[in-house]
Coordinates of all heavy atoms in Angstrom, one line a residue:
M1 N -3.9 -54.3 105.6 CA -5.3 -53.8 106.1 C -5.8 -54.4 107.3 O -6.2 -53.7 108.2 CB -6.3 -54.1 104.8 CG -7.6 -53.5 105.1 SD -7.4 -51.7 105.0 CE -9.2 -51.2 105.1
R2 N -5.4 -55.7 107.5 CA -5.9 -56.4 108.6 C -5.1 -55.9 109.9 O -5.6 -55.7 111.0 CB -5.7 -57.9 108.4 CG -6.1 -58.7 109.7 CD -6.1 -60.2 109.2 NE -6.3 -61.0 110.4 CZ -7.5 -61.5 110.7 NH1 -8.5 -61.1 109.9 NH2 -7.8 -62.2 111.7
R3 N -3.8 -55.5 109.5 CA -3.0 -55.0 110.6 C -3.4 -53.6 111.2 O -3.5 -53.3 112.3 CB -1.5 -54.8 110.1 CG -0.5 -54.5 111.1 CD 0.9 -54.5 110.4 NE 1.9 -54.2 111.4 CZ 3.0 -54.0 111.1 NH1 3.4 -54.1 109.8 NH2 4.0 -53.6 112.0
L4 N -3.8 -52.8 110.2 CA -4.3 -51.5 110.5 C -5.7 -51.6 111.4 O -5.9 -50.9 112.4 CB -4.6 -50.7 109.3 CG -5.2 -49.2 109.4 CD1 -4.2 -48.4 110.2 CD2 -5.5 -48.6 108.1
H5 N -6.6 -52.5 111.0 CA -7.7 -52.7 111.7 C -7.5 -53.2 113.1 O -8.0 -52.7 114.1 CB -8.6 -53.8 111.0 CG -9.9 -54.2 111.5 ND1 -10.7 -53.2 111.9 CD2 -10.3 -55.3 112.0 CE1 -11.8 -53.6 112.5 NE2 -11.6 -55.2 112.5
L6 N -6.4 -54.1 113.4 CA -6.0 -54.5 114.6 C -5.6 -53.3 115.4 O -5.8 -53.3 116.7 CB -5.1 -55.7 114.6 CG -5.6 -57.0 114.1 CD1 -4.5 -58.0 114.0 CD2 -6.6 -57.6 115.2
I7 N -4.8 -52.5 114.9 CA -4.2 -51.4 115.6 C -5.3 -50.3 116.1 O -5.3 -50.0 117.3 CB -3.1 -50.6 114.8 CG1 -1.9 -51.6 114.5 CG2 -2.7 -49.3 115.3 CD1 -0.9 -51.0 113.5
I8 N -6.2 -50.1 115.2 CA -7.4 -49.2 115.6 C -8.2 -49.8 116.6 O -8.6 -49.2 117.5 CB -8.2 -48.9 114.2 CG1 -7.3 -48.1 113.3 CG2 -9.5 -48.2 114.7 CD1 -7.9 -47.7 112.0
T9 N -8.4 -51.1 116.5 CA -9.3 -51.8 117.6 C -8.6 -51.8 118.9 O -9.2 -51.5 119.9 CB -9.4 -53.2 117.2 OG1 -10.1 -53.3 115.8 CG2 -10.4 -54.0 118.1
Y10 N -7.2 -52.0 118.9 CA -6.5 -52.0 120.1 C -6.5 -50.7 120.8 O -6.6 -50.5 121.9 CB -5.0 -52.5 119.8 CG -4.1 -52.4 121.0 CD1 -4.3 -53.4 122.0 CD2 -3.3 -51.4 121.2 CE1 -3.5 -53.3 123.2 CE2 -2.4 -51.4 122.4 CZ -2.6 -52.2 123.4 OH -1.8 -52.2 124.4
M11 N -6.4 -49.6 119.9 CA -6.3 -48.3 120.5 C -7.8 -47.9 121.1 O -7.9 -47.3 122.1 CB -6.0 -47.3 119.4 CG -4.6 -47.2 119.0 SD -4.1 -46.2 117.6 CE -4.6 -44.6 118.2
C12 N -8.8 -48.2 120.4 CA -10.2 -47.9 120.8 C -10.4 -48.8 122.2 O -11.0 -48.1 123.1 CB -11.2 -48.4 119.9 SG -11.3 -47.3 118.4
L13 N -10.1 -50.0 122.3 CA -10.2 -50.6 123.5 C -9.4 -50.1 124.6 O -9.8 -50.0 125.8 CB -9.8 -52.2 123.3 CG -10.9 -53.0 122.6 CD1 -10.3 -54.4 122.3 CD2 -12.0 -53.2 123.3
T14 N -8.2 -49.7 124.3 CA -7.3 -49.0 125.3 C -7.9 -47.8 125.9 O -8.0 -47.6 127.2 CB -5.9 -48.8 124.8 OG1 -5.4 -50.0 124.3 CG2 -5.0 -48.1 125.9
L15 N -8.4 -47.0 125.0 CA -9.1 -45.7 125.4 C -10.3 -46.0 126.3 O -10.5 -45.3 127.3 CB -9.5 -44.8 124.2 CG -8.2 -44.2 123.4 CD1 -8.7 -43.6 122.2 CD2 -7.4 -43.3 124.3
V16 N -11.2 -46.9 125.9 CA -12.5 -47.1 126.6 C -12.0 -47.7 128.0 O -12.6 -47.2 129.0 CB -13.3 -48.2 125.8 CG1 -14.5 -48.7 126.7 CG2 -13.8 -47.5 124.6
V17 N -11.2 -48.7 128.1 CA -10.7 -49.4 129.4 C -10.1 -48.3 130.2 O -10.3 -48.2 131.4 CB -9.9 -50.5 129.2 CG1 -9.3 -51.0 130.4 CG2 -10.7 -51.6 128.5
G18 N -9.3 -47.4 129.7 CA -8.7 -46.3 130.5 C -9.7 -45.3 131.1 O -9.5 -44.9 132.2
K19 N -10.8 -45.0 130.3 CA -11.7 -44.0 130.7 C -12.6 -44.6 131.8 O -12.8 -44.1 132.8 CB -12.6 -43.6 129.6 CG -12.0 -42.6 128.8 CD -13.0 -42.1 127.7 CE -12.4 -41.1 126.7 NZ -13.3 -40.6 125.8
V20 N -12.8 -46.0 131.6 CA -13.7 -46.7 132.7 C -12.9 -46.9 133.9 O -13.4 -46.7 135.0 CB -14.2 -48.0 132.1 CG1 -14.7 -49.0 133.3 CG2 -15.1 -47.9 131.0
H21 N -11.6 -47.1 133.8 CA -10.7 -47.2 134.9 C -10.6 -46.0 135.7 O -10.6 -46.0 137.0 CB -9.4 -47.8 134.5 CG -8.4 -47.9 135.7 ND1 -8.6 -48.9 136.6 CD2 -7.3 -47.3 136.0 CE1 -7.7 -48.9 137.6 NE2 -6.9 -47.8 137.3
A22 N -10.7 -44.8 135.1 CA -10.4 -43.5 135.7 C -11.7 -43.1 136.5 O -11.6 -42.3 137.4 CB -10.2 -42.5 134.7
Q23 N -12.9 -43.7 136.2 CA -14.0 -43.4 137.0 C -14.1 -43.9 138.3 O -14.9 -43.4 139.2 CB -15.2 -43.9 136.2 CG -15.5 -43.0 134.9 CD -16.5 -43.6 134.1 OE1 -17.3 -44.6 134.5 NE2 -16.8 -42.9 132.9
Y24 N -13.4 -45.1 138.6 CA -13.4 -45.6 140.0 C -12.4 -45.0 140.8 O -11.1 -45.0 140.6 CB -13.2 -47.2 139.8 CG -14.3 -47.9 139.1 CD1 -14.1 -48.2 137.8 CD2 -15.5 -48.0 139.7 CE1 -15.2 -48.8 137.0 CE2 -16.7 -48.6 139.0 CZ -16.4 -48.9 137.7 OH -17.4 -49.6 136.9
Y25 N -12.8 -44.6 142.0 CA -11.9 -44.1 143.1 C -12.4 -44.2 144.4 O -13.6 -44.6 144.5 CB -11.5 -42.6 142.8 CG -12.8 -41.8 142.9 CD1 -13.1 -41.1 144.1 CD2 -13.6 -41.5 141.8 CE1 -14.3 -40.4 144.2 CE2 -14.7 -40.7 141.8 CZ -15.0 -40.2 143.0 OH -16.0 -39.3 143.1
S26 N -11.6 -44.2 145.4 CA -12.1 -44.4 146.7 C -12.1 -43.1 147.4 O -11.2 -42.2 147.2 CB -11.3 -45.5 147.5 OG -10.0 -45.0 147.7
V27 N -13.0 -43.0 148.5 CA -13.1 -41.8 149.3 C -12.9 -42.2 150.7 O -13.5 -43.1 151.2 CB -14.5 -41.1 149.1 CG1 -14.6 -39.9 150.1 CG2 -14.8 -40.8 147.6
N28 N -11.9 -41.5 151.3 CA -11.5 -41.7 152.7 C -12.2 -40.5 153.5 O -11.8 -39.3 153.2 CB -10.0 -41.7 152.9 CG -9.4 -43.0 152.1 OD1 -10.1 -44.0 152.1 ND2 -8.2 -42.7 151.6
Y29 N -13.0 -40.9 154.4 CA -13.5 -39.8 155.3 C -13.7 -40.5 156.7 O -13.8 -41.7 156.9 CB -14.9 -39.3 154.9 CG -16.0 -40.4 154.9 CD1 -16.8 -40.5 155.9 CD2 -16.1 -41.2 153.7 CE1 -17.8 -41.5 156.0 CE2 -17.2 -42.1 153.7 CZ -18.0 -42.3 154.8 OH -19.0 -43.2 154.8
D30 N -13.6 -39.7 157.8 CA -13.7 -40.2 159.1 C -14.9 -39.5 159.7 O -15.4 -38.4 159.2 CB -12.4 -39.9 159.8 CG -12.1 -38.5 159.9 OD1 -12.4 -37.7 159.0 OD2 -11.3 -38.0 160.7
K31 N -15.4 -40.0 160.8 CA -16.6 -39.5 161.5 C -16.4 -38.1 162.1 O -17.2 -37.4 162.2 CB -17.0 -40.5 162.6 CG -17.4 -41.8 162.0 CD -17.8 -42.7 163.0 CE -18.4 -44.1 162.5 NZ -18.7 -45.2 163.4
Q32 N -15.1 -37.9 162.5 CA -14.8 -36.6 163.1 C -15.0 -35.4 162.1 O -15.6 -34.4 162.4 CB -13.4 -36.5 163.7 CG -13.4 -37.3 165.0 CD -11.9 -37.4 165.4 OE1 -11.0 -37.0 164.7 NE2 -11.6 -37.8 166.6
T33 N -14.5 -35.7 160.9 CA -14.6 -34.7 159.8 C -16.1 -34.4 159.4 O -16.5 -33.4 159.2 CB -13.8 -35.1 158.6 OG1 -12.4 -35.3 159.0 CG2 -13.8 -34.1 157.5
V34 N -16.8 -35.6 159.4 CA -18.2 -35.4 158.9 C -19.0 -34.7 160.0 O -19.8 -33.8 159.8 CB -18.8 -36.8 158.7 CG1 -20.3 -36.6 158.5 CG2 -18.2 -37.6 157.5
A35 N -18.7 -35.0 161.3 CA -19.4 -34.3 162.4 C -19.0 -32.8 162.4 O -19.9 -31.9 162.6 CB -19.0 -34.9 163.8
A36 N -17.7 -32.5 162.2 CA -17.3 -31.0 162.1 C -17.9 -30.4 160.9 O -18.4 -29.1 161.1 CB -15.9 -31.0 162.0
M37 N -18.0 -31.0 159.9 CA -18.7 -30.3 158.7 C -20.2 -30.1 158.9 O -20.7 -29.1 158.6 CB -18.5 -31.2 157.4 CG -17.0 -31.1 156.9 SD -16.7 -32.2 155.6 CE -17.6 -31.3 154.2
A38 N -20.9 -31.1 159.5 CA -22.2 -30.9 159.9 C -22.5 -29.8 160.9 O -23.4 -29.1 160.7 CB -22.8 -32.2 160.4
A39 N -21.6 -29.7 161.7 CA -21.8 -28.6 162.8 C -21.5 -27.2 162.1 O -22.2 -26.3 162.4 CB -20.8 -28.8 164.0
A40 N -20.6 -27.2 161.2 CA -20.2 -25.9 160.5 C -21.3 -25.5 159.7 O -21.6 -24.4 159.5 CB -18.9 -26.0 159.7
F41 N -22.0 -26.6 159.0 CA -23.1 -26.3 158.1 C -24.3 -25.8 159.0 O -25.0 -24.8 158.5 CB -23.5 -27.5 157.4 CG -24.7 -27.3 156.5 CD1 -24.7 -26.7 155.3 CD2 -26.0 -27.7 156.9 CE1 -25.6 -26.5 154.5 CE2 -27.1 -27.6 156.1 CZ -26.9 -26.9 154.8
G42 N -24.6 -26.4 160.1 CA -25.6 -26.0 161.0 C -25.4 -24.5 161.5 O -26.3 -23.7 161.5
A43 N -24.1 -24.1 161.9 CA -23.8 -22.7 162.4 C -23.9 -21.7 161.2 O -24.4 -20.7 161.5 CB -22.4 -22.8 162.9
G44 N -23.6 -22.2 160.1 CA -23.7 -21.3 158.8 C -25.2 -21.1 158.6 O -25.5 -19.9 158.2
A45 N -25.9 -22.1 158.6 CA -27.4 -22.0 158.3 C -28.0 -21.0 159.4 O -28.9 -20.1 159.1 CB -28.1 -23.2 158.4
M46 N -27.7 -21.2 160.7 CA -28.2 -20.3 161.7 C -27.8 -18.8 161.5 O -28.6 -17.9 161.5 CB -27.8 -20.7 163.1 CG -28.3 -22.0 163.5 SD -30.1 -21.9 163.8 CE -30.0 -21.0 165.4
A47 N -26.5 -18.6 161.2 CA -26.0 -17.2 160.9 C -26.7 -16.6 159.7 O -27.1 -15.5 159.8 CB -24.5 -17.3 160.7
E48 N -26.9 -17.4 158.7 CA -27.7 -16.9 157.5 C -29.0 -16.6 157.7 O -29.6 -15.5 157.3 CB -27.6 -18.0 156.4 CG -28.1 -17.5 155.0 CD -27.9 -18.5 154.0 OE1 -27.4 -19.5 154.2 OE2 -28.6 -18.3 152.8
S49 N -29.8 -17.4 158.5 CA -31.2 -17.0 158.9 C -31.2 -15.7 159.7 O -32.2 -14.9 159.6 CB -31.8 -18.1 159.6 OG -31.3 -18.4 160.8
Y50 N -30.2 -15.4 160.6 CA -30.1 -14.4 161.5 C -30.0 -13.1 160.6 O -30.7 -12.2 160.8 CB -29.0 -14.6 162.6 CG -28.8 -13.2 163.4 CD1 -29.7 -12.8 164.3 CD2 -27.7 -12.5 163.1 CE1 -29.4 -11.7 165.1 CE2 -27.4 -11.3 163.8 CZ -28.3 -10.9 164.8 OH -28.2 -9.8 165.5
Y51 N -29.0 -13.2 159.7 CA -28.8 -12.0 158.8 C -29.9 -11.8 157.9 O -30.1 -10.5 157.7 CB -27.5 -12.2 158.0 CG -26.3 -12.3 158.9 CD1 -25.3 -13.2 158.9 CD2 -26.0 -11.2 159.8 CE1 -24.1 -13.2 159.7 CE2 -25.0 -11.2 160.7 CZ -24.0 -12.1 160.7 OH -22.9 -12.1 161.4
N52 N -30.6 -12.8 157.5 CA -31.8 -12.6 156.6 C -32.9 -11.8 157.5 O -33.5 -11.0 156.9 CB -32.3 -13.9 156.0 CG -31.5 -14.4 154.9 OD1 -30.8 -13.7 154.3 ND2 -31.7 -15.7 154.7
E53 N -33.0 -12.1 158.7 CA -33.9 -11.4 159.6 C -33.6 -9.9 159.6 O -34.4 -9.0 159.6 CB -34.1 -12.0 160.9 CG -34.9 -13.3 160.9 CD -34.8 -13.8 162.5 OE1 -34.6 -12.9 163.5 OE2 -35.1 -15.0 162.7
Q54 N -32.3 -9.7 159.9 CA -31.8 -8.2 160.0 C -32.0 -7.5 158.7 O -32.5 -6.4 158.7 CB -30.3 -8.3 160.3 CG -30.0 -9.0 161.7 CD -30.7 -8.3 162.9 OE1 -30.8 -7.1 162.9 NE2 -31.3 -9.2 163.7
V55 N -31.8 -8.2 157.6 CA -31.9 -7.6 156.3 C -33.4 -7.1 156.1 O -33.8 -6.1 155.6 CB -31.3 -8.3 155.1 CG1 -31.9 -7.9 153.8 CG2 -29.9 -8.4 155.1
G56 N -34.4 -8.1 156.5 CA -35.8 -7.9 156.4 C -36.2 -6.6 157.2 O -37.0 -5.8 156.8
E57 N -35.8 -6.5 158.4 CA -36.0 -5.3 159.3 C -35.5 -4.0 158.5 O -36.2 -3.1 158.6 CB -35.3 -5.5 160.7 CG -35.9 -6.6 161.5 CD -37.3 -6.3 161.9 OE1 -37.7 -5.2 162.3 OE2 -38.1 -7.2 161.9
I58 N -34.3 -4.1 158.1 CA -33.8 -2.9 157.4 C -34.7 -2.6 156.2 O -35.0 -1.3 155.9 CB -32.3 -3.1 156.9 CG1 -31.4 -3.2 158.2 CG2 -31.8 -2.0 156.0 CD1 -30.0 -3.6 157.9
L59 N -35.1 -3.6 155.3 CA -35.8 -3.2 154.3 C -37.3 -2.7 154.6 O -37.8 -1.9 153.8 CB -36.0 -4.6 153.4 CG -34.9 -4.9 152.6 CD1 -35.0 -6.3 151.8 CD2 -34.5 -3.9 151.6
K60 N -37.8 -3.1 155.8 CA -39.1 -2.7 156.2 C -38.9 -1.1 156.5 O -39.8 -0.2 156.0 CB -39.6 -3.3 157.5 CG -40.4 -4.5 157.2 CD -41.2 -4.9 158.4 CE -40.3 -5.5 159.5 NZ -41.1 -6.1 160.5
H61 N -37.8 -0.7 157.1 CA -37.6 0.7 157.3 C -37.4 1.5 156.1 O -37.8 2.6 156.0 CB -36.4 0.9 158.3 CG -36.6 0.4 159.7 ND1 -37.7 0.9 160.5 CD2 -36.1 -0.6 160.3 CE1 -37.6 0.3 161.7 NE2 -36.8 -0.7 161.6
Y62 N -36.7 1.0 155.2 CA -36.5 1.6 153.9 C -37.8 1.8 153.1 O -38.1 2.8 152.5 CB -35.5 0.8 153.0 CG -34.1 1.1 153.2 CD1 -33.2 0.4 154.0 CD2 -33.6 2.4 152.7 CE1 -31.8 0.7 154.2 CE2 -32.2 2.8 152.9 CZ -31.4 1.9 153.6 OH -30.1 2.2 153.8
N63 N -38.6 0.8 153.1 CA -39.9 0.9 152.6 C -40.7 2.0 153.1 O -41.4 2.8 152.4 CB -40.8 -0.5 152.5 CG -40.2 -1.5 151.6 OD1 -39.4 -1.1 150.6 ND2 -40.4 -2.8 151.9
A64 N -40.8 2.1 154.4 CA -41.5 3.1 155.1 C -40.9 4.5 154.7 O -41.6 5.4 154.5 CB -41.5 3.0 156.6
A65 N -39.5 4.6 154.5 CA -39.0 5.9 154.3 C -39.2 6.3 152.7 O -39.4 7.5 152.5 CB -37.4 5.9 154.4
E66 N -39.3 5.2 151.9 CA -39.7 5.5 150.6 C -41.1 6.1 150.4 O -41.3 7.0 149.7 CB -39.5 4.0 149.7 CG -39.8 4.1 148.3 CD -39.8 2.8 147.7 OE1 -39.1 1.9 148.3 OE2 -40.1 2.8 146.5
V67 N -42.1 5.5 151.1 CA -43.4 5.9 151.1 C -43.5 7.4 151.6 O -44.1 8.2 151.1 CB -44.3 4.9 151.9 CG1 -45.7 5.6 152.0 CG2 -44.4 3.7 151.1
A68 N -42.8 7.6 152.6 CA -42.8 9.1 153.3 C -42.1 9.9 152.3 O -42.7 11.1 152.1 CB -42.0 9.0 154.7
T69 N -41.1 9.6 151.7 CA -40.4 10.5 150.8 C -41.3 10.9 149.6 O -41.4 12.0 149.1 CB -39.1 9.9 150.4 OG1 -38.2 9.7 151.4 CG2 -38.3 10.8 149.4
A70 N -42.0 9.8 149.1 CA -42.9 10.0 148.0 C -44.0 10.9 148.4 O -44.4 11.9 147.6 CB -43.3 8.7 147.4
G71 N -44.5 10.7 149.5 CA -45.6 11.8 150.0 C -45.1 13.1 150.1 O -45.8 14.0 149.7
I72 N -44.0 13.4 150.7 CA -43.4 14.7 150.8 C -43.1 15.4 149.5 O -43.5 16.5 149.2 CB -42.1 14.7 151.7 CG1 -42.4 14.3 153.1 CG2 -41.4 16.0 151.6 CD1 -41.2 14.0 154.0
F73 N -42.6 14.6 148.6 CA -42.3 15.0 147.2 C -43.7 15.5 146.5 O -43.8 16.5 145.8 CB -41.7 14.0 146.3 CG -41.5 14.4 144.9 CD1 -40.4 15.2 144.5 CD2 -42.3 13.9 143.9 CE1 -40.3 15.7 143.2 CE2 -42.1 14.3 142.6 CZ -41.2 15.2 142.3
A74 N -44.7 14.6 146.7 CA -45.9 14.9 146.0 C -46.6 16.2 146.6 O -47.1 17.0 145.9 CB -46.9 13.8 146.2
A75 N -46.5 16.4 147.9 CA -47.0 17.5 148.5 C -46.3 18.7 148.1 O -47.0 19.7 147.8 CB -47.0 17.4 150.0
K76 N -45.0 18.7 148.0 CA -44.3 20.0 147.6 C -44.4 20.2 146.1 O -44.6 21.3 145.7 CB -42.8 19.7 147.9 CG -42.4 19.6 149.4 CD -42.6 20.9 150.1 CE -42.3 20.9 151.6 NZ -42.7 22.1 152.2
F77 N -44.6 19.2 145.3 CA -44.8 19.3 143.9 C -46.1 20.0 143.7 O -46.3 21.0 143.0 CB -44.7 18.0 143.3 CG -45.0 18.1 141.7 CD1 -44.0 18.7 140.8 CD2 -46.2 17.6 141.2 CE1 -44.4 18.7 139.5 CE2 -46.6 17.7 139.9 CZ -45.6 18.3 139.0
L78 N -47.2 19.6 144.4 CA -48.5 20.1 144.2 C -48.5 21.5 144.7 O -49.2 22.4 144.1 CB -49.6 19.2 144.8 CG -49.8 17.9 144.1 CD1 -50.8 17.1 144.9 CD2 -50.3 18.0 142.7
E79 N -47.9 21.8 145.8 CA -47.9 23.1 146.3 C -47.2 24.1 145.3 O -47.7 25.2 145.2 CB -47.1 23.1 147.7 CG -46.9 24.4 148.5 CD -46.2 24.3 149.7 OE1 -46.0 23.3 150.1 OE2 -45.9 25.5 150.2
R80 N -46.0 23.7 144.8 CA -45.4 24.6 143.9 C -46.2 24.8 142.6 O -46.3 25.8 142.0 CB -44.1 24.0 143.4 CG -43.3 24.9 142.5 CD -41.9 24.3 142.1 NE -41.2 25.1 141.2 CZ -41.4 25.3 140.0 NH1 -42.4 24.6 139.3 NH2 -40.6 26.0 139.2
K81 N -46.9 23.7 142.1 CA -47.7 24.0 141.0 C -48.9 24.7 141.3 O -49.4 25.5 140.4 CB -48.3 22.4 140.6 CG -49.1 22.4 139.4 CD -49.5 20.9 139.0 CE -50.3 21.0 137.8 NZ -50.8 19.6 137.5
A82 N -49.5 24.7 142.5 CA -50.6 25.6 142.8 C -50.1 27.0 142.8 O -50.8 28.0 142.5 CB -51.1 25.2 144.2
F83 N -48.8 27.4 143.3 CA -48.3 28.6 143.3 C -48.0 29.1 142.0 O -48.0 30.4 141.7 CB -47.1 28.8 144.2 CG -47.5 28.8 145.7 CD1 -46.8 28.1 146.6 CD2 -48.6 29.6 146.2 CE1 -47.1 28.0 148.0 CE2 -48.9 29.5 147.5 CZ -48.1 28.8 148.4
T84 N -47.4 28.4 141.0 CA -47.0 28.8 139.7 C -48.1 29.0 138.7 O -48.1 29.7 137.7 CB -45.8 28.0 139.3 OG1 -46.3 26.6 139.2 CG2 -44.6 28.1 140.1
D85 N -49.1 28.2 138.9 CA -50.2 28.1 137.9 C -51.3 29.0 138.3 O -52.1 28.7 139.3 CB -50.8 26.7 137.7 CG -51.9 26.5 136.6 OD1 -51.9 27.4 135.7 OD2 -52.7 25.6 136.6
L86 N -51.5 30.1 137.7 CA -52.4 31.2 138.2 C -53.8 31.0 137.5 O -54.7 31.7 137.9 CB -51.9 32.5 137.8 CG -50.5 32.9 138.5 CD1 -50.1 34.2 138.0 CD2 -50.7 32.9 139.9
G87 N -53.9 30.0 136.7 CA -55.2 29.8 136.1 C -55.7 30.8 135.1 O -54.9 31.2 134.2
I88 N -56.8 31.4 135.4 CA -57.4 32.4 134.6 C -56.7 33.7 134.6 O -56.8 34.5 133.8 CB -58.9 32.5 134.7 CG1 -59.2 33.0 136.2 CG2 -59.6 31.3 134.4 CD1 -60.6 33.5 136.3
W89 N -56.0 33.9 135.8 CA -55.3 35.1 136.0 C -54.0 35.2 135.1 O -53.4 36.4 135.0 CB -54.9 35.3 137.4 CG -56.1 35.2 138.3 CD1 -56.4 34.2 139.2 CD2 -57.1 36.2 138.3 NE1 -57.7 34.6 139.8 CE2 -58.1 35.8 139.3 CE3 -57.4 37.4 137.7 CZ2 -59.2 36.5 139.6 CZ3 -58.5 38.2 138.0 CH2 -59.5 37.7 139.0
S90 N -53.5 34.1 134.6 CA -52.4 34.2 133.7 C -52.6 34.5 132.4 O -51.7 34.7 131.5 CB -51.5 32.8 133.8 OG -52.4 31.9 133.2
S91 N -53.8 34.6 131.9 CA -54.3 35.0 130.6 C -54.0 36.5 130.3 O -54.3 37.3 131.2 CB -55.7 34.5 130.2 OG -56.1 35.0 129.0
S92 N -53.5 36.8 129.1 CA -53.4 38.2 128.8 C -54.7 39.0 128.4 O -54.8 40.2 128.3 CB -52.4 38.3 127.7 OG -52.9 37.7 126.5
R93 N -55.8 38.2 128.2 CA -57.1 38.9 127.9 C -57.8 39.3 129.1 O -58.4 39.2 129.9 CB -57.9 37.8 127.2 CG -57.3 37.5 125.8 CD -58.4 36.9 125.0 NE -57.7 35.8 124.3 CZ -58.4 34.8 123.7 NH1 -59.7 34.6 123.9 NH2 -57.7 33.9 123.1

């Protein structure tokens, strides 16, 4: 029993120390890479803001077209309704 207890304790310690050891690592980076990545990030941010402006302009035109289309549809619908609904003249009496 004592031997089994020692084996289990040894296995638990090995697993814990192994996991703790796997968490430590070193990162190698140089200033040129960091500067290039910062420049690329800045360029990407500028391009994204430019494209967001362009999409905003397009959406403004779509909104205006949507309102105009709804107005045209309403006018044509009411015109057709006026021509097809004869009111009191459609009664058979």
Side-chain angles (χ1 to χ4, degrees):
M1 185 69 174
R2 185 174 175 89
R3 185 175 181 189
L4 181 61
H5 181 54
L6 285 174
I7 291 173
I8 292 174
T9 306
Y10 177 73
M11 287 177 60
C12 288
L13 287 175
T14 303
L15 292 174
V16 169
V17 171
K19 285 184 180 181
V20 171
H21 179 68
Q23 291 177 358
Y24 294 105
Y25 61 93
S26 64
V27 177
N28 295 325
Y29 64 93
D30 58 333
K31 293 180 181 178
Q32 291 175 341
T33 303
V34 172
M37 289 176 70
F41 178 77
M46 292 289 286
E48 186 176 351
S49 67
Y50 173 73
Y51 291 130
N52 281 340
E53 284 181 22
Q54 299 301 317
V55 168
E57 291 293 321
I58 291 170
L59 286 177
K60 273 199 286 187
H61 294 295
Y62 271 104
N63 288 340
E66 181 181 346
V67 170
T69 304
I72 293 169
F73 175 78
K76 294 294 181 182
F77 176 77
L78 292 175
E79 182 181 345
R80 183 179 182 282
K81 186 176 177 184
F83 284 136
T84 56
D85 184 19
L86 300 176
I88 61 169
W89 302 110
S90 66
S91 174
S92 62
R93 291 193 220 162

